[in-house]
Amino acid sequence: MRDRALVLICAILFGIAARYPFVGVYVWSWLGLMNPHRLTYGFAHDLPLNMIIAVLTIGAAMVSRERNKFQFDGFSMSIFTFAIWISITTLAAPSPEFTDPLW
């Protein structure tokens, strides 16, 4: 029963996300943080719902008529700098047996 309810909710949200890509970002965050599919015991337990919404959101954003130009401001610069810092510290980790699967 939980499986059917979750798949129905996700199907409705996926349909909305196909029209409005920002909803896809919200759904992706919800699925990534809460992991509701792990609370099911049937077929929905192993469904890649997060990957489905990610691909759907990227596709919907590409075909959307609303074009938002990327703004390179202080916030985006800090996110970019943080991503570089994470990559450097992962490569320079003292335990290479834990970082090998990451790269």
Side-chain angles (χ1 to χ4, degrees):
M1 184 67 184
R2 291 182 198 180
D3 298 302
R4 293 181 191 144
L6 179 66
V7 169
L8 178 66
I9 290 169
C10 285
I12 292 169
L13 291 173
F14 290 175
I16 296 170
R19 175 75 172 104
Y20 304 104
F22 72 91
V23 174
V25 175
Y26 295 147
V27 174
W28 181 81
S29 299
W30 171 62
L31 289 172
L33 294 173
M34 187 180 162
N35 288 321
H37 61 286
R38 295 297 176 191
L39 300 174
T40 61
Y41 301 109
F43 67 93
H45 184 76
D46 294 324
L47 286 178
L49 297 174
N50 223 357
M51 184 183 64
I52 293 169
I53 192 64
V55 170
L56 180 72
T57 302
I58 291 170
M62 290 196 163
V63 299
S64 176
R65 291 184 203 157
E66 181 180 327
R67 296 288 175 208
N68 294 329
K69 190 175 181 181
F70 180 73
Q71 297 175 356
F72 199 70
D73 55 359
F75 180 73
S76 59
M77 182 63 183
S78 64
I79 294 293
F80 182 69
T81 305
F82 183 62
I84 291 172
W85 178 254
I86 290 172
S87 300
I88 291 170
T89 57
T90 302
L91 287 173
S95 301
E97 64 270 5
F98 296 120
T99 58
D100 284 341
L102 298 175
W103 297 100

